[in-house]
Amino acid sequence: MKALRRLDLRICLALLAAVGIVYARTAWAGFVNLDDGAYVKDNPIVLAGLSWAGIKWAFTTFWICNWHPVTWLSHMLDASLFGKGPAGPHLMNALYHGLNGAGLYLLLRRITGATWRSAAVAALFALHPVHVESVAWISERKDVLSTLFTLASLHAYAGYVEGGRKRGLAWAALWHALALMAKPMPVSLPLLLLVLDVWPLRRLEPFTWRRLAALSLEKWPFALLSAASCWVTVLAQKGAIVKLSLQPISWRLFNASWAYVRYLGKMVWPSGLSPFYPYTTEQELGRLRLAGTLCLALLALVTWAVVRERGRRPQLLAGWIWFLVSLLPVIGLVQVGSQAMADRYTYLPLIGPFVALVWWAAEGAERSEGYRKALAIAGSGVLVLLGGLSWIQAGYWESSTSLFGRALSLDPANPIALVNLGQALAEKGDQAAALPYFQRAVERAPTWFLARKNLAMTYYYLGRRDQALPMMGQALFLDPLDGDLLWMAARALAEEGRREEAVKCLRDFLALEPRRMGLSLDRAQEGAKTQNARILLGLVALDLGWNKEATRMLEAALAEDPGNAQIKLSLAKARKRAPANTP
């Protein structure tokens, strides 16, 4: 790479400073109850910091239906450097984002030779509000980290093209591997490299099919890595992939075309940004078909237009293809989760439209001094406005209540927002305030287990067991293997004097112990739950006169806690009684 000029250094420092100003408020933000617990806050392996055991776990786990060992290691490094609080992870996310902005500028300046256009693209990338989710959300570390390694891969590839040394290609493949181990989003990189070969590297001029085949074959290390990443990702997410019987392919195609256009709309007019965009319900399917058809036609029209302009403006075609291709892994043709789209998915793809827009807008600047000045003033104003909007948007991520309160102001029927805001209030001890949100969530999504579970448990904590128990039964019908709800139902039934039903719930809960251990990172916590269940089952069985079962459970509990006087006393009673008619 050519030596870094003073101007390049100033631009990079300005980008880092701008990102620092916009995201400074996240230093005082907390964790949000959208995966932050599972990723960091309640993850004992991550909070223990870097260790050999942690490294082994990072490379072998499919925790949260993902395989991204590099991301796990970065979270562990945060814990080692900053402790268990959220300030450190927020700081590192902002730093990675700032480095991505500077790296993007240096890459574009290197492969195009255009300083101010490259700076404008990097500034749009760094300051655009649609990227706030990727930066302000601790759990989305994988986005900023994966993009950092992807940019490093592109820099190495540019060096290979400049010098022709195979070592550069090997470095590019290595950085690509690290990017995929942070997040599998850049599986499309082999195709994106071909896009860069067309423009701005112009390696396909003059065009021949033989040249295209040779350049395609050159990308085999990247294609092999991407294929391996796809295979591992399918293994990790097989439990989260939505079946075609639930969402037919036609439904997905309509949603995908609609999402493409909505992403572009949010790039131009970044309003109504939400942490969750619900998928269309069956009742709204007719509207989705109409919107999807119109959007598909619009996408075809834009594609036709940029193809026509490929000779005069190849950057338009390159930017457009970059956008379409890099979004493919997350556009929903293979649906994972219940979101229709997500702001975080635009982090890498919008680089293409930013490039196309800036290069197109700057065409007249070379011919007119007045146009150049007007463009500079207008561009500066747009960047200041985008930075201000990002600062505001980052503020919504300061807490779960502010985040999901904002989401509900945009869509009062958003089920994820209803449940997560209710959970945030419940965690603060305000069960009464949480109740109406869970009730509305059940009304909006009656077959969603989590909504019914939270409503049932809230009823219980409020002492309304007459409403809690029927709701627990309905929730357990949707998921009979939820250990937390079985334990709560057993307690509620025992308190209501429905001992035989309580015994059944406790037996089911104890039978799930291997599964619960496999789904939890805190074995000590799960062991404590098992111990409490043994004690309660022993006491309930003793009341029922089922002395054999009471003896067995209490003996197991005493083995775990030999000094517990309550267990000793209850066990003595069970042993004194005659053998029971235990079912």
Side-chain angles (χ1 to χ4, degrees):
M1 182 178 177
K2 297 177 182 178
L4 196 66
R5 304 174 300 172
R6 285 188 178 181
L7 179 57
D8 295 332
L9 183 58
R10 291 195 195 103
I11 290 173
C12 289
L13 290 175
L15 289 166
L16 287 168
V19 168
I21 292 170
V22 168
Y23 290 99
R25 66 187 310 175
T26 63
W28 291 274
F31 294 107
V32 295
N33 61 357
L34 190 66
D35 288 345
D36 279 357
Y39 271 88
V40 180
K41 179 174 172 282
D42 302 319
N43 189 317
I45 299 176
V46 167
L47 293 179
L50 279 173
S51 65
W52 287 114
I55 293 171
K56 179 182 176 182
W57 176 83
F59 278 91
T60 56
T61 187
F62 284 165
W63 183 243
I64 316 297
C65 294
N66 281 297
W67 186 78
H68 40 53
V70 170
T71 296
W72 287 125
L73 295 178
S74 76
H75 285 305
M76 294 174 193
L77 179 61
D78 289 351
S80 294
L81 293 175
F82 306 109
K84 299 180 180 181
H90 278 303
L91 172 66
M92 294 306 296
N93 272 20
L95 177 60
Y96 291 135
H97 181 57
L99 291 174
N100 285 338
L104 178 59
Y105 162 72
L106 293 173
L107 174 69
L108 290 174
R109 204 270 294 172
R110 178 179 191 174
I111 61 180
T112 67
T115 297
W116 294 110
R117 295 183 190 189
S118 301
V121 170
L124 285 172
F125 172 87
L127 298 177
H128 203 286
V130 82
H131 289 164
V132 168
E133 179 174 292
S134 295
V135 185
W137 185 14
I138 290 174
S139 295
E140 207 44 40
R141 164 68 58 79
K142 46 188 178 285
D143 242 356
V144 292
L145 199 59
S146 176
T147 301
L148 182 66
F149 291 125
T150 298
L151 290 171
S153 179
L154 294 174
H155 272 285
Y157 182 75
Y160 160 73
V161 173
E162 291 169 359
R165 296 182 179 180
K166 295 294 183 181
R167 184 174 60 183
L169 199 63
W171 274 108
L174 175 61
W175 290 120
H176 180 46
L178 291 171
L180 293 171
M181 288 190 285
K183 183 179 182 177
M185 178 78 178
V187 291
S188 57
L189 186 66
L191 294 175
L192 299 182
L193 293 177
L194 282 174
V195 171
L196 295 183
D197 285 341
V198 173
W199 185 90
L201 298 176
R202 299 184 183 275
R203 299 179 71 200
L204 269 172
E205 296 180 0
F207 176 83
T208 65
W209 288 108
R210 179 175 293 181
R211 187 185 297 271
L212 177 60
L215 290 178
S216 299
L217 185 61
E218 178 188 67
K219 312 300 186 292
W220 73 265
F222 303 93
L224 189 62
L225 289 169
S226 292
S229 178
C230 288
W231 176 69
V232 174
T233 300
V234 169
L235 290 179
Q237 296 187 338
K238 63 181 179 181
I241 295 176
V242 179
K243 297 179 181 178
L244 282 172
S245 59
L246 298 177
Q247 288 178 359
I249 191 64
S250 60
W251 196 348
R252 300 181 189 206
L253 285 170
F254 288 131
N255 184 77
S257 59
W258 185 46
Y260 268 120
V261 174
R262 289 181 74 189
Y263 286 134
L264 291 173
K266 290 186 180 296
M267 179 192 76
V268 176
W269 192 261
S271 64
L273 303 180
S274 175
F276 184 81
Y277 302 96
Y279 212 93
T280 304
T281 63
E282 289 189 32
Q283 292 75 20
E284 301 166 329
L285 186 54
R287 188 174 66 179
L288 176 64
R289 287 196 183 102
L290 176 60
T293 302
L294 293 174
C295 290
L296 193 59
L298 179 60
L299 294 172
L301 180 62
V302 173
T303 303
W304 172 79
V306 298
V307 169
R308 279 197 62 184
E309 289 290 305
R310 68 187 183 280
R312 290 193 305 158
R313 299 182 178 92
Q315 68 275 7
L316 297 183
L317 178 61
W320 182 244
I321 298 301
W322 178 289
F323 173 69
L324 294 180
V325 169
S326 57
L327 261 175
L328 269 177
V330 291
I331 202 61
L333 297 179
V334 177
Q335 180 67 27
V336 179
S338 56
Q339 70 283 344
M341 55 182 284
D343 295 342
R344 61 188 178 274
Y345 293 160
T346 67
Y347 194 71
L348 182 67
L350 279 187
I351 291 174
F354 287 155
V355 168
L357 180 64
V358 168
W359 255 256
W360 175 73
E363 283 182 358
E366 298 174 355
R367 300 187 298 270
S368 168
E369 178 70 22
Y371 180 81
R372 183 161 59 247
K373 290 181 179 179
L375 183 63
I377 294 171
S380 299
V382 167
L383 292 176
V384 170
L385 177 61
L386 290 176
L389 291 175
S390 291
W391 188 84
I392 294 171
Q393 186 68 22
Y396 296 131
W397 286 86
E398 289 182 358
S399 68
S400 299
T401 50
S402 61
L403 179 63
F404 293 106
R406 169 62 175 171
L408 285 178
S409 72
L410 299 171
D411 179 8
N414 187 323
I416 290 284
L418 287 167
V419 166
N420 283 48
L421 182 54
Q423 287 177 333
L425 294 169
E427 287 172 5
K428 292 180 179 180
D430 197 347
Q431 303 288 343
L435 181 62
Y437 293 106
F438 295 139
Q439 290 173 327
R440 286 162 54 193
V442 169
E443 292 172 6
R444 172 65 176 170
T447 60
W448 188 23
F449 165 76
L450 192 59
R452 289 192 176 274
K453 174 183 175 179
N454 278 280
L455 180 56
M457 296 178 79
T458 302
Y459 279 141
Y460 175 79
Y461 287 127
L462 290 173
R464 295 160 63 170
R465 288 195 289 270
D466 57 326
Q467 293 172 290
L469 285 168
M471 188 59 62
M472 288 176 181
Q474 294 166 21
L476 286 171
F477 177 78
L478 296 171
D479 185 359
L481 300 180
D482 186 84
D484 290 338
L485 192 55
L486 281 169
W487 167 246
M488 191 63 68
R491 288 176 56 186
L493 289 165
E495 290 166 3
E496 285 289 291
R498 296 161 61 175
R499 294 182 178 84
E500 293 190 18
E501 294 171 83
V503 166
K504 182 182 182 305
C505 284
L506 288 166
R507 287 172 177 166
D508 291 342
F509 177 83
L510 290 170
L512 288 175
E513 184 177 15
R515 180 177 184 269
R516 289 188 291 108
M517 286 294 184
L519 293 175
S520 175
L521 298 179
D522 193 337
R523 292 183 173 273
Q525 184 182 61
E526 288 303 320
K529 290 180 182 178
T530 298
Q531 175 73 344
N532 289 335
R534 289 189 188 119
I535 294 171
L536 182 57
L537 179 53
L539 295 175
V540 173
L542 188 60
D543 286 343
L544 288 169
W546 297 351
N547 300 315
K548 288 182 181 178
E549 183 159 14
T551 300
R552 186 170 67 253
M553 286 296 108
L554 293 171
E555 284 177 345
L558 189 63
E560 292 293 323
D561 186 7
N564 191 306
Q566 180 192 12
I567 299 175
K568 289 180 179 179
L569 181 61
S570 299
L571 182 57
K573 290 181 180 178
R575 286 171 172 170
K576 282 182 179 179
R577 293 181 180 178
N581 300 317
T582 305

